[in-house]
Amino acid sequence: MRLSRSPTIQTLVAFAVVFVLQTVVGFIRPFWAVSLFALAPPVSVHPWTLPLSVYSHANFGHLFSNAVALVLAGLLVERVTTTARFHAFFITVGMLSGLVQVWVGGLFSSTAPAVLGASGAVLGLYGYLLAGNPVSDAVFGRLRLSRRAQAVIVVAFTTLITLMTAAPGVALLAHFTGFAVGLIAGRLHILRVETQATSNDRAVQ
């Protein structure tokens, strides 16, 4: 696959373009570098921040850490799906994670929460990798767990991963949501694209 056709590389380019835009806007008025890009309630006031916040970052360190994490997971996930599905999954999980962070977080905080960054979407990719690989399929296939038991495992494991990523200023609810959605999507294999060979094998079986 050419690099220009890699959805992971395309996403990295989107990160860079938005960060440059944030920097330019920040030179004009520093407050805008966050206020025009971060998702905050009420979402209807600045609706463009719903998708834009997924590709925005607070600083270069934030951008760099998410970019490295994206490369490690994205290059693997993109091997089993299409470019369109990859981008649709990434932006959907990212927006959902952001919404949960600002809506649920607002219930427990007197200050209006705001969120920006791709952490939720990136953790969605990691969750997908963990739950959607052949080893996981074999394990869950042998255990034959009930849906309730699987739900408990998802919540427990997601909570553990969320706590491992905890730090001051980190959007933990977004992390929890992204990873949980990724685990569920992985079990359902929603990104998998079946080849003709795979279809033929199933027909023979």
Side-chain angles (χ1 to χ4, degrees):
M1 177 182 291
R2 295 180 180 179
L3 289 179
S4 61
R5 295 181 180 178
S6 165
T8 300
I9 301 302
Q10 293 168 1
T11 304
L12 289 176
V13 171
F15 284 179
V17 170
V18 173
F19 188 73
V20 169
L21 182 58
Q22 283 183 271
T23 303
V24 172
V25 170
F27 277 124
I28 300 174
R29 183 167 295 184
F31 177 73
W32 286 353
V34 174
S35 65
L36 295 181
F37 295 84
L39 181 66
V43 178
S44 58
V45 174
H46 295 148
W48 66 84
T49 61
L50 182 55
L52 188 60
S53 62
V54 178
Y55 301 93
S56 305
H57 293 86
N59 50 54
F60 181 77
H62 186 204
L63 168 64
F64 182 77
S65 61
N66 275 344
V68 172
L70 169 63
V71 169
L72 294 177
L75 292 178
L76 293 175
V77 173
E78 70 179 43
R79 293 169 63 90
V80 299
T81 190
T82 65
T83 297
R85 288 191 184 189
F86 183 98
H87 286 305
F89 178 79
F90 191 86
I91 188 66
T92 299
V93 175
M95 291 191 297
L96 180 60
S97 299
L99 286 174
V100 171
Q101 180 68 39
V102 298
W103 285 345
V104 179
L107 299 176
F108 303 96
S109 175
S110 58
T111 59
V115 61
L116 76 170
S119 301
V122 171
L123 281 172
L125 295 177
Y126 278 91
Y128 191 92
L129 278 177
L130 183 65
N133 64 76
V135 175
S136 295
D137 289 341
V139 171
F140 278 96
R142 287 180 177 276
L143 294 178
R144 299 184 182 279
L145 298 174
S146 66
R147 291 184 178 180
R148 179 176 297 180
Q150 292 187 44
V152 170
I153 292 175
V154 168
V155 172
F157 197 72
T158 302
T159 300
L160 175 62
I161 296 298
T162 302
L163 293 177
M164 290 175 60
T165 63
V170 171
L172 292 181
L173 290 173
H175 286 192
F176 182 94
T177 303
F179 194 75
V181 172
L183 287 176
I184 296 170
R187 291 301 305 140
L188 297 176
H189 297 291
I190 65 171
L191 295 180
R192 178 184 291 175
V193 178
E194 292 190 3
T195 63
Q196 186 63 42
T198 302
S199 299
N200 291 340
D201 288 343
R202 288 190 174 184
V204 171
Q205 292 175 356

